[in-house]
PDB file of all heavy atoms in Angstrom:
ATOM      1  N   LEU A 177     -26.840 -13.025   2.891  1.00 89.00           N
ATOM      2  CA  LEU A 177     -28.230 -13.040   2.280  1.00 89.00           C
ATOM      3  C   LEU A 177     -29.323 -13.512   3.137  1.00 89.00           C
ATOM      4  O   LEU A 177     -30.393 -12.913   3.058  1.00 89.00           O
ATOM      5  CB  LEU A 177     -28.049 -13.677   0.957  1.00 89.00           C
ATOM      6  CG  LEU A 177     -27.307 -13.201  -0.200  1.00 89.00           C
ATOM      7  CD1 LEU A 177     -27.211 -14.186  -1.329  1.00 89.00           C
ATOM      8  CD2 LEU A 177     -28.037 -11.920  -0.669  1.00 89.00           C
ATOM      9  N   ASP A 178     -29.058 -14.496   3.869  1.00 89.00           N
ATOM     10  CA  ASP A 178     -30.002 -15.110   4.742  1.00 89.00           C
ATOM     11  C   ASP A 178     -30.292 -14.319   6.009  1.00 89.00           C
ATOM     12  O   ASP A 178     -31.432 -14.037   6.316  1.00 89.00           O
ATOM     13  CB  ASP A 178     -29.542 -16.554   5.111  1.00 89.00           C
ATOM     14  CG  ASP A 178     -30.706 -17.215   5.924  1.00 89.00           C
ATOM     15  OD1 ASP A 178     -31.825 -17.207   5.508  1.00 89.00           O
ATOM     16  OD2 ASP A 178     -30.344 -17.929   6.863  1.00 89.00           O
ATOM     17  N   LYS A 179     -29.287 -13.862   6.714  1.00 91.00           N
ATOM     18  CA  LYS A 179     -29.417 -13.150   8.051  1.00 91.00           C
ATOM     19  C   LYS A 179     -29.550 -11.639   7.957  1.00 91.00           C
ATOM     20  O   LYS A 179     -30.143 -11.163   8.852  1.00 91.00           O
ATOM     21  CB  LYS A 179     -28.303 -13.755   8.900  1.00 91.00           C
ATOM     22  CG  LYS A 179     -28.163 -15.150   9.089  1.00 91.00           C
ATOM     23  CD  LYS A 179     -29.309 -15.719   9.775  1.00 91.00           C
ATOM     24  CE  LYS A 179     -29.151 -17.347  10.015  1.00 91.00           C
ATOM     25  NZ  LYS A 179     -30.284 -18.073  10.247  1.00 91.00           N
ATOM     26  N   ARG A 180     -28.787 -11.155   7.121  1.00 90.00           N
ATOM     27  CA  ARG A 180     -28.798  -9.629   6.968  1.00 90.00           C
ATOM     28  C   ARG A 180     -28.911  -9.311   5.450  1.00 90.00           C
ATOM     29  O   ARG A 180     -27.954  -8.694   4.911  1.00 90.00           O
ATOM     30  CB  ARG A 180     -27.502  -9.098   7.543  1.00 90.00           C
ATOM     31  CG  ARG A 180     -27.427  -9.189   9.040  1.00 90.00           C
ATOM     32  CD  ARG A 180     -26.265  -8.605   9.597  1.00 90.00           C
ATOM     33  NE  ARG A 180     -25.068  -9.077   8.875  1.00 90.00           N
ATOM     34  CZ  ARG A 180     -23.835  -8.643   9.117  1.00 90.00           C
ATOM     35  NH1 ARG A 180     -23.547  -7.745   9.994  1.00 90.00           N
ATOM     36  NH2 ARG A 180     -22.801  -9.195   8.474  1.00 90.00           N
ATOM     37  N   PRO A 181     -29.998  -9.506   4.850  1.00 89.00           N
ATOM     38  CA  PRO A 181     -30.134  -9.321   3.471  1.00 89.00           C
ATOM     39  C   PRO A 181     -29.875  -7.894   3.070  1.00 89.00           C
ATOM     40  O   PRO A 181     -30.355  -7.010   3.878  1.00 89.00           O
ATOM     41  CB  PRO A 181     -31.607  -9.744   3.143  1.00 89.00           C
ATOM     42  CG  PRO A 181     -32.272  -9.951   4.427  1.00 89.00           C
ATOM     43  CD  PRO A 181     -31.224 -10.019   5.471  1.00 89.00           C
ATOM     44  N   PRO A 182     -29.382  -7.557   1.907  1.00 89.00           N
ATOM     45  CA  PRO A 182     -29.226  -6.221   1.420  1.00 89.00           C
ATOM     46  C   PRO A 182     -30.473  -5.560   1.319  1.00 89.00           C
ATOM     47  O   PRO A 182     -31.500  -6.131   1.001  1.00 89.00           O
ATOM     48  CB  PRO A 182     -28.568  -6.348   0.056  1.00 89.00           C
ATOM     49  CG  PRO A 182     -28.010  -7.743   0.054  1.00 89.00           C
ATOM     50  CD  PRO A 182     -28.840  -8.549   0.909  1.00 89.00           C
ATOM     51  N   GLN A 183     -30.479  -4.218   1.646  1.00 92.00           N
ATOM     52  CA  GLN A 183     -31.754  -3.415   1.678  1.00 92.00           C
ATOM     53  C   GLN A 183     -32.011  -2.745   0.320  1.00 92.00           C
ATOM     54  O   GLN A 183     -33.101  -2.167   0.232  1.00 92.00           O
ATOM     55  CB  GLN A 183     -31.718  -2.447   2.833  1.00 92.00           C
ATOM     56  CG  GLN A 183     -31.535  -3.102   4.228  1.00 92.00           C
ATOM     57  CD  GLN A 183     -32.670  -4.076   4.486  1.00 92.00           C
ATOM     58  OE1 GLN A 183     -33.824  -3.602   4.544  1.00 92.00           O
ATOM     59  NE2 GLN A 183     -32.360  -5.333   4.758  1.00 92.00           N
ATOM     60  N   THR A 184     -30.944  -2.542  -0.461  1.00 89.00           N
ATOM     61  CA  THR A 184     -31.143  -1.964  -1.786  1.00 89.00           C
ATOM     62  C   THR A 184     -30.476  -2.805  -2.841  1.00 89.00           C
ATOM     63  O   THR A 184     -29.710  -3.661  -2.568  1.00 89.00           O
ATOM     64  CB  THR A 184     -30.402  -0.527  -1.798  1.00 89.00           C
ATOM     65  OG1 THR A 184     -28.976  -0.806  -1.581  1.00 89.00           O
ATOM     66  CG2 THR A 184     -30.846   0.339  -0.594  1.00 89.00           C
ATOM     67  N   ILE A 185     -30.890  -2.478  -4.077  1.00 82.00           N
ATOM     68  CA  ILE A 185     -30.385  -3.140  -5.292  1.00 82.00           C
ATOM     69  C   ILE A 185     -28.806  -2.848  -5.323  1.00 82.00           C
ATOM     70  O   ILE A 185     -28.040  -3.818  -5.603  1.00 82.00           O
ATOM     71  CB  ILE A 185     -31.042  -2.737  -6.565  1.00 82.00           C
ATOM     72  CG1 ILE A 185     -32.497  -3.065  -6.569  1.00 82.00           C
ATOM     73  CG2 ILE A 185     -30.293  -3.151  -7.769  1.00 82.00           C
ATOM     74  CD1 ILE A 185     -32.712  -4.549  -6.669  1.00 82.00           C
ATOM     75  N   GLU A 186     -28.332  -1.688  -4.969  1.00 86.00           N
ATOM     76  CA  GLU A 186     -27.018  -1.355  -4.977  1.00 86.00           C
ATOM     77  C   GLU A 186     -26.153  -2.247  -4.034  1.00 86.00           C
ATOM     78  O   GLU A 186     -25.090  -2.729  -4.309  1.00 86.00           O
ATOM     79  CB  GLU A 186     -26.708   0.193  -4.653  1.00 86.00           C
ATOM     80  CG  GLU A 186     -27.187   1.085  -5.766  1.00 86.00           C
ATOM     81  CD  GLU A 186     -28.702   1.320  -5.767  1.00 86.00           C
ATOM     82  OE1 GLU A 186     -29.422   1.013  -4.679  1.00 86.00           O
ATOM     83  OE2 GLU A 186     -29.216   1.694  -6.818  1.00 86.00           O
ATOM     84  N   GLU A 187     -26.716  -2.474  -2.778  1.00 88.00           N
ATOM     85  CA  GLU A 187     -26.118  -3.324  -1.878  1.00 88.00           C
ATOM     86  C   GLU A 187     -25.949  -4.714  -2.366  1.00 88.00           C
ATOM     87  O   GLU A 187     -24.961  -5.405  -2.226  1.00 88.00           O
ATOM     88  CB  GLU A 187     -26.816  -3.254  -0.533  1.00 88.00           C
ATOM     89  CG  GLU A 187     -26.710  -1.977   0.344  1.00 88.00           C
ATOM     90  CD  GLU A 187     -27.503  -2.060   1.527  1.00 88.00           C
ATOM     91  OE1 GLU A 187     -27.918  -3.101   2.008  1.00 88.00           O
ATOM     92  OE2 GLU A 187     -27.710  -0.977   2.179  1.00 88.00           O
ATOM     93  N   LEU A 188     -27.064  -5.207  -2.979  1.00 86.00           N
ATOM     94  CA  LEU A 188     -27.110  -6.514  -3.518  1.00 86.00           C
ATOM     95  C   LEU A 188     -26.095  -6.728  -4.692  1.00 86.00           C
ATOM     96  O   LEU A 188     -25.360  -7.687  -4.683  1.00 86.00           O
ATOM     97  CB  LEU A 188     -28.452  -6.873  -4.030  1.00 86.00           C
ATOM     98  CG  LEU A 188     -28.689  -8.297  -4.598  1.00 86.00           C
ATOM     99  CD1 LEU A 188     -28.398  -9.300  -3.649  1.00 86.00           C
ATOM    100  CD2 LEU A 188     -30.058  -8.395  -5.169  1.00 86.00           C
ATOM    101  N   LEU A 189     -26.000  -5.731  -5.552  1.00 81.00           N
ATOM    102  CA  LEU A 189     -25.077  -5.785  -6.592  1.00 81.00           C
ATOM    103  C   LEU A 189     -23.550  -5.681  -6.098  1.00 81.00           C
ATOM    104  O   LEU A 189     -22.674  -6.296  -6.616  1.00 81.00           O
ATOM    105  CB  LEU A 189     -25.308  -4.715  -7.634  1.00 81.00           C
ATOM    106  CG  LEU A 189     -26.622  -4.875  -8.429  1.00 81.00           C
ATOM    107  CD1 LEU A 189     -26.887  -3.611  -9.393  1.00 81.00           C
ATOM    108  CD2 LEU A 189     -26.592  -6.146  -9.206  1.00 81.00           C
ATOM    109  N   GLY A 190     -23.359  -4.955  -4.969  1.00 88.00           N
ATOM    110  CA  GLY A 190     -22.039  -4.838  -4.431  1.00 88.00           C
ATOM    111  C   GLY A 190     -21.647  -6.260  -3.832  1.00 88.00           C
ATOM    112  O   GLY A 190     -20.493  -6.605  -4.099  1.00 88.00           O
ATOM    113  N   LEU A 191     -22.498  -6.872  -3.199  1.00 88.00           N
ATOM    114  CA  LEU A 191     -22.324  -8.253  -2.654  1.00 88.00           C
ATOM    115  C   LEU A 191     -22.087  -9.180  -3.761  1.00 88.00           C
ATOM    116  O   LEU A 191     -21.067  -9.976  -3.772  1.00 88.00           O
ATOM    117  CB  LEU A 191     -23.431  -8.692  -1.791  1.00 88.00           C
ATOM    118  CG  LEU A 191     -23.358 -10.089  -1.184  1.00 88.00           C
ATOM    119  CD1 LEU A 191     -22.171 -10.079  -0.256  1.00 88.00           C
ATOM    120  CD2 LEU A 191     -24.639 -10.452  -0.506  1.00 88.00           C
ATOM    121  N   GLU A 192     -22.795  -9.078  -4.884  1.00 84.00           N
ATOM    122  CA  GLU A 192     -22.583  -9.971  -6.007  1.00 84.00           C
ATOM    123  C   GLU A 192     -21.266  -9.680  -6.665  1.00 84.00           C
ATOM    124  O   GLU A 192     -20.471 -10.549  -7.158  1.00 84.00           O
ATOM    125  CB  GLU A 192     -23.761  -9.674  -7.108  1.00 84.00           C
ATOM    126  CG  GLU A 192     -23.661 -10.637  -8.246  1.00 84.00           C
ATOM    127  CD  GLU A 192     -22.969  -9.990  -9.447  1.00 84.00           C
ATOM    128  OE1 GLU A 192     -22.725  -8.749  -9.462  1.00 84.00           O
ATOM    129  OE2 GLU A 192     -22.455 -10.762 -10.320  1.00 84.00           O
ATOM    130  N   GLY A 193     -20.853  -8.370  -6.825  1.00 84.00           N
ATOM    131  CA  GLY A 193     -19.574  -8.014  -7.379  1.00 84.00           C
ATOM    132  C   GLY A 193     -18.335  -8.487  -6.524  1.00 84.00           C
ATOM    133  O   GLY A 193     -17.446  -9.089  -7.054  1.00 84.00           O
ATOM    134  N   ASN A 194     -18.542  -8.494  -5.249  1.00 86.00           N
ATOM    135  CA  ASN A 194     -17.462  -9.020  -4.300  1.00 86.00           C
ATOM    136  C   ASN A 194     -17.391 -10.592  -4.412  1.00 86.00           C
ATOM    137  O   ASN A 194     -16.341 -11.114  -4.424  1.00 86.00           O
ATOM    138  CB  ASN A 194     -17.713  -8.638  -2.876  1.00 86.00           C
ATOM    139  CG  ASN A 194     -17.495  -7.051  -2.665  1.00 86.00           C
ATOM    140  OD1 ASN A 194     -16.735  -6.536  -3.374  1.00 86.00           O
ATOM    141  ND2 ASN A 194     -18.137  -6.517  -1.644  1.00 86.00           N
ATOM    142  N   CYS A 195     -18.536 -11.214  -4.556  1.00 86.00           N
ATOM    143  CA  CYS A 195     -18.600 -12.652  -4.745  1.00 86.00           C
ATOM    144  C   CYS A 195     -17.852 -13.043  -6.054  1.00 86.00           C
ATOM    145  O   CYS A 195     -17.116 -13.985  -6.181  1.00 86.00           O
ATOM    146  CB  CYS A 195     -20.014 -13.127  -4.743  1.00 86.00           C
ATOM    147  SG  CYS A 195     -20.716 -13.143  -3.099  1.00 86.00           S
ATOM    148  N   ALA A 196     -18.237 -12.251  -7.094  1.00 83.00           N
ATOM    149  CA  ALA A 196     -17.570 -12.568  -8.440  1.00 83.00           C
ATOM    150  C   ALA A 196     -16.055 -12.407  -8.299  1.00 83.00           C
ATOM    151  O   ALA A 196     -15.235 -13.139  -8.909  1.00 83.00           O
ATOM    152  CB  ALA A 196     -18.070 -11.611  -9.546  1.00 83.00           C
ATOM    153  N   ALA A 197     -15.578 -11.323  -7.723  1.00 82.00           N
ATOM    154  CA  ALA A 197     -14.149 -11.159  -7.547  1.00 82.00           C
ATOM    155  C   ALA A 197     -13.375 -12.270  -6.749  1.00 82.00           C
ATOM    156  O   ALA A 197     -12.433 -12.839  -7.166  1.00 82.00           O
ATOM    157  CB  ALA A 197     -13.871  -9.833  -6.776  1.00 82.00           C
ATOM    158  N   ALA A 198     -14.100 -12.810  -5.690  1.00 84.00           N
ATOM    159  CA  ALA A 198     -13.536 -13.965  -4.959  1.00 84.00           C
ATOM    160  C   ALA A 198     -13.565 -15.136  -5.851  1.00 84.00           C
ATOM    161  O   ALA A 198     -12.620 -15.915  -5.795  1.00 84.00           O
ATOM    162  CB  ALA A 198     -14.349 -14.133  -3.699  1.00 84.00           C
ATOM    163  N   TYR A 199     -14.679 -15.273  -6.650  1.00 82.00           N
ATOM    164  CA  TYR A 199     -14.794 -16.575  -7.449  1.00 82.00           C
ATOM    165  C   TYR A 199     -13.678 -16.566  -8.485  1.00 82.00           C
ATOM    166  O   TYR A 199     -12.999 -17.562  -8.686  1.00 82.00           O
ATOM    167  CB  TYR A 199     -16.136 -16.505  -8.091  1.00 82.00           C
ATOM    168  CG  TYR A 199     -16.380 -17.475  -9.250  1.00 82.00           C
ATOM    169  CD1 TYR A 199     -16.631 -18.761  -9.022  1.00 82.00           C
ATOM    170  CD2 TYR A 199     -16.378 -17.080 -10.579  1.00 82.00           C
ATOM    171  CE1 TYR A 199     -16.761 -19.732  -9.981  1.00 82.00           C
ATOM    172  CE2 TYR A 199     -16.579 -17.974 -11.613  1.00 82.00           C
ATOM    173  CZ  TYR A 199     -16.784 -19.227 -11.314  1.00 82.00           C
ATOM    174  OH  TYR A 199     -17.045 -20.181 -12.276  1.00 82.00           O
ATOM    175  N   PHE A 200     -13.431 -15.413  -9.199  1.00 81.00           N
ATOM    176  CA  PHE A 200     -12.433 -15.427 -10.235  1.00 81.00           C
ATOM    177  C   PHE A 200     -10.934 -15.374  -9.664  1.00 81.00           C
ATOM    178  O   PHE A 200     -10.043 -15.726 -10.306  1.00 81.00           O
ATOM    179  CB  PHE A 200     -12.621 -14.237 -11.185  1.00 81.00           C
ATOM    180  CG  PHE A 200     -13.680 -14.632 -12.139  1.00 81.00           C
ATOM    181  CD1 PHE A 200     -14.885 -14.019 -12.168  1.00 81.00           C
ATOM    182  CD2 PHE A 200     -13.404 -15.504 -13.127  1.00 81.00           C
ATOM    183  CE1 PHE A 200     -15.840 -14.397 -13.135  1.00 81.00           C
ATOM    184  CE2 PHE A 200     -14.351 -15.883 -14.195  1.00 81.00           C
ATOM    185  CZ  PHE A 200     -15.674 -15.370 -14.064  1.00 81.00           C
ATOM    186  N   ARG A 201     -10.787 -14.971  -8.385  1.00 81.00           N
ATOM    187  CA  ARG A 201      -9.497 -15.137  -7.793  1.00 81.00           C
ATOM    188  C   ARG A 201      -9.102 -16.582  -7.647  1.00 81.00           C
ATOM    189  O   ARG A 201      -7.969 -16.976  -7.773  1.00 81.00           O
ATOM    190  CB  ARG A 201      -9.475 -14.483  -6.390  1.00 81.00           C
ATOM    191  CG  ARG A 201      -9.227 -12.922  -6.492  1.00 81.00           C
ATOM    192  CD  ARG A 201      -8.754 -12.411  -5.039  1.00 81.00           C
ATOM    193  NE  ARG A 201      -9.803 -12.552  -4.069  1.00 81.00           N
ATOM    194  CZ  ARG A 201     -10.934 -11.676  -3.942  1.00 81.00           C
ATOM    195  NH1 ARG A 201     -10.932 -10.538  -4.747  1.00 81.00           N
ATOM    196  NH2 ARG A 201     -11.726 -11.826  -2.996  1.00 81.00           N
ATOM    197  N   ALA A 202     -10.245 -17.506  -7.427  1.00 82.00           N
ATOM    198  CA  ALA A 202      -9.947 -18.845  -7.295  1.00 82.00           C
ATOM    199  C   ALA A 202      -9.515 -19.547  -8.667  1.00 82.00           C
ATOM    200  O   ALA A 202      -8.895 -20.591  -8.692  1.00 82.00           O
ATOM    201  CB  ALA A 202     -11.287 -19.593  -6.828  1.00 82.00           C
ATOM    202  N   TRP A 203      -9.797 -18.870  -9.743  1.00 80.00           N
ATOM    203  CA  TRP A 203      -9.386 -19.309 -11.043  1.00 80.00           C
ATOM    204  C   TRP A 203      -7.879 -19.101 -11.176  1.00 80.00           C
ATOM    205  O   TRP A 203      -7.316 -19.598 -12.264  1.00 80.00           O
ATOM    206  CB  TRP A 203     -10.081 -18.562 -12.191  1.00 80.00           C
ATOM    207  CG  TRP A 203     -11.465 -19.122 -12.439  1.00 80.00           C
ATOM    208  CD1 TRP A 203     -12.537 -19.075 -11.604  1.00 80.00           C
ATOM    209  CD2 TRP A 203     -11.886 -19.639 -13.695  1.00 80.00           C
ATOM    210  NE1 TRP A 203     -13.625 -19.592 -12.289  1.00 80.00           N
ATOM    211  CE2 TRP A 203     -13.325 -19.925 -13.480  1.00 80.00           C
ATOM    212  CE3 TRP A 203     -11.369 -19.853 -14.928  1.00 80.00           C
ATOM    213  CZ2 TRP A 203     -14.005 -20.599 -14.537  1.00 80.00           C
ATOM    214  CZ3 TRP A 203     -12.048 -20.505 -15.917  1.00 80.00           C
ATOM    215  CH2 TRP A 203     -13.419 -20.782 -15.776  1.00 80.00           C
ATOM    216  N   ARG A 204      -7.145 -18.410 -10.366  1.00 81.00           N
ATOM    217  CA  ARG A 204      -5.745 -18.137 -10.556  1.00 81.00           C
ATOM    218  C   ARG A 204      -4.849 -19.415 -10.600  1.00 81.00           C
ATOM    219  O   ARG A 204      -3.798 -19.538 -11.048  1.00 81.00           O
ATOM    220  CB  ARG A 204      -5.212 -17.226  -9.510  1.00 81.00           C
ATOM    221  CG  ARG A 204      -5.681 -15.878  -9.629  1.00 81.00           C
ATOM    222  CD  ARG A 204      -5.130 -14.973  -8.564  1.00 81.00           C
ATOM    223  NE  ARG A 204      -5.579 -13.607  -8.826  1.00 81.00           N
ATOM    224  CZ  ARG A 204      -5.450 -12.720  -7.921  1.00 81.00           C
ATOM    225  NH1 ARG A 204      -4.771 -12.940  -6.812  1.00 81.00           N
ATOM    226  NH2 ARG A 204      -5.905 -11.422  -8.184  1.00 81.00           N
ATOM    227  N   SER A 205      -5.598 -20.540 -10.083  1.00 79.00           N
ATOM    228  CA  SER A 205      -4.884 -21.921 -10.114  1.00 79.00           C
ATOM    229  C   SER A 205      -4.936 -22.504 -11.469  1.00 79.00           C
ATOM    230  O   SER A 205      -4.308 -23.462 -11.781  1.00 79.00           O
ATOM    231  CB  SER A 205      -5.374 -22.769  -9.050  1.00 79.00           C
ATOM    232  OG  SER A 205      -6.786 -23.034  -9.277  1.00 79.00           O
ATOM    233  N   VAL A 206      -5.813 -21.988 -12.320  1.00 83.00           N
ATOM    234  CA  VAL A 206      -5.961 -22.583 -13.675  1.00 83.00           C
ATOM    235  C   VAL A 206      -4.850 -22.079 -14.663  1.00 83.00           C
ATOM    236  O   VAL A 206      -4.532 -20.930 -14.754  1.00 83.00           O
ATOM    237  CB  VAL A 206      -7.324 -22.112 -14.326  1.00 83.00           C
ATOM    238  CG1 VAL A 206      -7.466 -22.717 -15.676  1.00 83.00           C
ATOM    239  CG2 VAL A 206      -8.452 -22.561 -13.414  1.00 83.00           C
ATOM    240  N   THR A 207      -4.169 -23.113 -15.122  1.00 84.00           N
ATOM    241  CA  THR A 207      -3.099 -22.765 -16.154  1.00 84.00           C
ATOM    242  C   THR A 207      -3.480 -23.591 -17.464  1.00 84.00           C
ATOM    243  O   THR A 207      -4.199 -24.512 -17.424  1.00 84.00           O
ATOM    244  CB  THR A 207      -1.730 -23.243 -15.692  1.00 84.00           C
ATOM    245  OG1 THR A 207      -1.830 -24.593 -15.355  1.00 84.00           O
ATOM    246  CG2 THR A 207      -1.239 -22.457 -14.429  1.00 84.00           C
ATOM    247  N   LEU A 208      -2.999 -22.999 -18.493  1.00 88.00           N
ATOM    248  CA  LEU A 208      -3.199 -23.639 -19.835  1.00 88.00           C
ATOM    249  C   LEU A 208      -2.044 -24.619 -20.149  1.00 88.00           C
ATOM    250  O   LEU A 208      -0.916 -24.264 -19.927  1.00 88.00           O
ATOM    251  CB  LEU A 208      -3.359 -22.618 -20.977  1.00 88.00           C
ATOM    252  CG  LEU A 208      -4.524 -21.590 -20.751  1.00 88.00           C
ATOM    253  CD1 LEU A 208      -4.486 -20.682 -21.991  1.00 88.00           C
ATOM    254  CD2 LEU A 208      -5.880 -22.424 -20.653  1.00 88.00           C
ATOM    255  N   ALA A 209      -2.371 -25.836 -20.704  1.00 87.00           N
ATOM    256  CA  ALA A 209      -1.444 -26.704 -21.191  1.00 87.00           C
ATOM    257  C   ALA A 209      -1.192 -26.275 -22.751  1.00 87.00           C
ATOM    258  O   ALA A 209      -2.046 -26.004 -23.423  1.00 87.00           O
ATOM    259  CB  ALA A 209      -1.864 -28.132 -21.209  1.00 87.00           C
ATOM    260  N   TRP A 210       0.168 -26.213 -23.063  1.00 89.00           N
ATOM    261  CA  TRP A 210       0.557 -25.754 -24.462  1.00 89.00           C
ATOM    262  C   TRP A 210       1.313 -26.858 -25.020  1.00 89.00           C
ATOM    263  O   TRP A 210       2.161 -27.545 -24.442  1.00 89.00           O
ATOM    264  CB  TRP A 210       1.412 -24.515 -24.354  1.00 89.00           C
ATOM    265  CG  TRP A 210       0.740 -23.298 -23.844  1.00 89.00           C
ATOM    266  CD1 TRP A 210       0.765 -22.900 -22.452  1.00 89.00           C
ATOM    267  CD2 TRP A 210      -0.112 -22.457 -24.539  1.00 89.00           C
ATOM    268  NE1 TRP A 210      -0.005 -21.777 -22.354  1.00 89.00           N
ATOM    269  CE2 TRP A 210      -0.550 -21.420 -23.586  1.00 89.00           C
ATOM    270  CE3 TRP A 210      -0.457 -22.345 -25.786  1.00 89.00           C
ATOM    271  CZ2 TRP A 210      -1.372 -20.454 -23.914  1.00 89.00           C
ATOM    272  CZ3 TRP A 210      -1.471 -21.354 -26.146  1.00 89.00           C
ATOM    273  CH2 TRP A 210      -1.801 -20.409 -25.257  1.00 89.00           C
ATOM    274  N   LYS A 211       1.065 -27.066 -26.307  1.00 90.00           N
ATOM    275  CA  LYS A 211       1.728 -28.043 -27.116  1.00 90.00           C
ATOM    276  C   LYS A 211       3.234 -27.514 -27.234  1.00 90.00           C
ATOM    277  O   LYS A 211       3.464 -26.348 -27.277  1.00 90.00           O
ATOM    278  CB  LYS A 211       1.219 -28.223 -28.483  1.00 90.00           C
ATOM    279  CG  LYS A 211      -0.221 -28.838 -28.499  1.00 90.00           C
ATOM    280  CD  LYS A 211      -0.851 -29.081 -29.769  1.00 90.00           C
ATOM    281  CE  LYS A 211      -2.213 -29.688 -29.609  1.00 90.00           C
ATOM    282  NZ  LYS A 211      -2.930 -29.889 -30.972  1.00 90.00           N
ATOM    283  N   ILE A 212       4.134 -28.392 -27.226  1.00 87.00           N
ATOM    284  CA  ILE A 212       5.545 -28.200 -27.114  1.00 87.00           C
ATOM    285  C   ILE A 212       6.000 -27.184 -28.107  1.00 87.00           C
ATOM    286  O   ILE A 212       6.725 -26.267 -27.811  1.00 87.00           O
ATOM    287  CB  ILE A 212       6.351 -29.522 -27.208  1.00 87.00           C
ATOM    288  CG1 ILE A 212       6.106 -30.328 -25.939  1.00 87.00           C
ATOM    289  CG2 ILE A 212       7.867 -29.206 -27.384  1.00 87.00           C
ATOM    290  CD1 ILE A 212       6.785 -31.691 -25.997  1.00 87.00           C
TER     291      ILE A 212
END
């Protein structure tokens, strides 16, 4: 974003989508605790 900013809205949204995918991949470590 700082050095080679996207030139179109589509490029910006593509970058945002890839960031969202990476972000939610990090959520894979989240597990739920269940009552016995």
Side-chain angles (χ1 to χ4, degrees):
L177 283 172
D178 184 44
K179 305 297 184 196
R180 291 184 306 180
Q183 300 301 304
T184 65
I185 294 292
E186 290 77 22
E187 288 178 15
L188 180 62
L189 291 175
L191 181 62
E192 186 266 340
N194 290 334
C195 289
Y199 170 76
F200 279 108
R201 276 194 299 275
W203 278 64
R204 289 182 179 168
S205 63
V206 178
T207 57
L208 299 180
W210 296 96
K211 294 184 179 174
I212 292 174

